[in-house]
Amino acid sequence: MAVDREIEIAPGIFFPAWTYNGRVPGPTIRCAEGDRIRLHFTNHGSMPHTIHFHGIHPFNMDGVAGAGPGEIGIGQSFTYEFDAEPFGCHLYHCHAVPLKRHVHKGLYGAFIVDPLEGRKPMRELMMIMNGFDTNFDKENEVYAVNSVGFEYQRRMIPIKVGEKVRVYLINLTEFDPINSFHLHAEFFDYYDHGTTLEPTHRRIDTIMQCQAQRGFLEFSFRWPGKYMFHAHQSEFAEPGWMAHFNVVEEQDFPAALAAVGLDPRWDRQATQGSTVSRGRVIR
Ligand code: CU
Ligand code: CU
């Protein structure tokens, strides 16, 4: 559902967001290629909204004005239904006009379609690069991954020495045409759009994405330490888009989890890879 909600984008800084299910980004929708997606959408917000999926689907499921039901009015409902293809790292977002405003306010999320053969299980993380215009001047004042500026500096992401990590990366920053991800002290393989089984880029340490571009990175760290990652545009990094991985030895991992308030169950969720539970209902 769509609902208006204030979200905290940095300690003490609130933003009047428009959300899917009360959160920004909205819930990640994950399935295997060919699965039928049936999404019951109700608009409890204060404006007409839609859900526009990137992927292959019939015109009447495209979630834009003039296609199928078009914009879903306040209090109205619609069920989007289509078969998920192609496999890859995709996204969904509101496509009501003015588009820039509806996306910027927070109506977006990840849509991950796994290949039928699955992908190699590894620690998986979802990072949506976004920004917030807190004074309505059509420029972002706060930049982040997953909405909260500097959050992963305050709570560094624990990973283990030598383990493979997959980061799903999606650029949903409005106002600025590009964003980027730079990893310190290591190189990664990159799969643009996630629509291939082999990397499209090998051994790089920076990737640039235009708006709505996405893909995933795979890498591992050789030595323990606190490794930075950030936008390689200082004007995005300094207002919030800076973060750290806390790379630790196996025996130190439970303590690293506890230090940032993560339950040991997070470890299992993050490493189960592309095991998809079919027919799961996300409310
Ligand atoms: Cu909208
Ligand atoms: Cu789009």
Side-chain angles (χ1 to χ4, degrees):
M1 66 170 173
V3 60
D4 297 0
R5 176 174 288 182
E6 284 228 318
I7 59 166
E8 194 167 9
I9 54 169
I13 300 178
F14 290 85
F15 179 78
W18 298 344
T19 75
Y20 290 122
N21 288 12
R23 41 174 289 179
V24 179
T28 295
I29 296 170
R30 188 171 194 174
C31 63
E33 188 173 42
D35 278 357
R36 167 116 320 192
I37 299 290
R38 188 177 300 123
L39 200 143
H40 305 294
F41 175 61
T42 299
N43 184 2
H44 293 296
S46 55
M47 303 281 287
H49 296 303
T50 74
I51 306 180
H52 163 69
F53 283 85
H54 285 228
I56 300 172
H57 47 251
F59 178 60
N60 63 344
M61 292 297 149
D62 201 40
V64 297
E71 295 184 2
I72 312 301
I74 298 163
Q76 306 288 301
S77 296
F78 180 70
T79 298
Y80 294 93
E81 186 167 352
F82 55 89
D83 296 332
E85 59 177 317
F87 70 76
C89 174
H90 306 309
L91 65 151
Y92 63 90
H93 59 84
C94 181
H95 218 297
V97 288
L99 179 58
K100 187 188 285 268
R101 183 143 187 260
H102 284 248
V103 174
H104 173 72
K105 285 285 247 176
L107 289 165
Y108 48 76
F111 174 40
I112 306 300
V113 182
D114 290 314
L116 284 178
E117 57 270 52
R119 296 199 194 265
K120 200 163 167 271
M122 56 182 78
R123 179 172 305 284
E124 294 197 318
L125 302 166
M126 170 61 65
M127 295 193 190
I128 293 190
M129 300 190 285
N130 52 6
F132 297 93
D133 171 14
T134 54
N135 60 3
F136 312 107
D137 63 352
K138 298 193 167 60
E139 286 183 24
N140 295 309
E141 280 71 45
V142 173
Y143 291 87
V145 270
N146 300 337
S147 305
V148 185
F150 299 117
E151 177 67 4
Y152 302 128
Q153 287 205 320
R154 285 185 293 272
R155 297 169 67 232
M156 298 184 192
I157 299 172
I159 58 181
K160 296 174 195 170
V161 169
E163 74 171 341
K164 289 283 273 176
V165 179
R166 179 180 292 129
V167 174
Y168 290 94
L169 183 73
I170 304 177
N171 180 17
L172 274 151
T173 315
E174 279 296 335
F175 307 123
D176 301 289
I178 58 160
N179 204 327
S180 64
F181 182 109
H182 167 58
L183 183 65
H184 279 218
E186 259 304 339
F187 276 60
F188 55 82
D189 287 345
Y190 182 72
Y191 299 67
D192 188 33
H193 288 68
T195 44
T196 57
L197 295 173
E198 291 298 319
T200 52
H201 302 62
R202 287 188 195 271
R203 290 176 77 80
I204 58 175
D205 70 5
T206 305
I207 190 74
M208 183 173 78
Q209 292 182 338
C210 68
Q211 291 174 342
Q213 197 172 353
R214 67 282 183 190
F216 61 84
L217 297 65
E218 291 179 352
F219 56 89
S220 61
F221 282 100
R222 289 188 210 176
W223 302 290
K226 294 172 169 49
Y227 296 96
M228 193 179 265
F229 61 101
H230 59 87
H232 214 296
Q233 289 115 307
S234 310
E235 66 265 42
F236 300 173
E238 281 160 5
W241 183 173
M242 261 199 273
H244 278 87
F245 292 114
N246 182 18
V247 180
V248 299
E249 301 286 359
E250 176 88 41
Q251 68 270 17
D252 300 325
F253 196 71
L257 283 179
V260 292
L262 284 170
D263 197 271
R265 272 176 301 183
W266 179 81
D267 190 26
R268 285 198 293 279
Q269 285 163 3
T271 52
Q272 71 184 4
S274 55
T275 312
V276 173
S277 54
R278 298 288 174 95
R280 199 158 69 87
V281 176
I282 301 171
R283 291 185 192 284

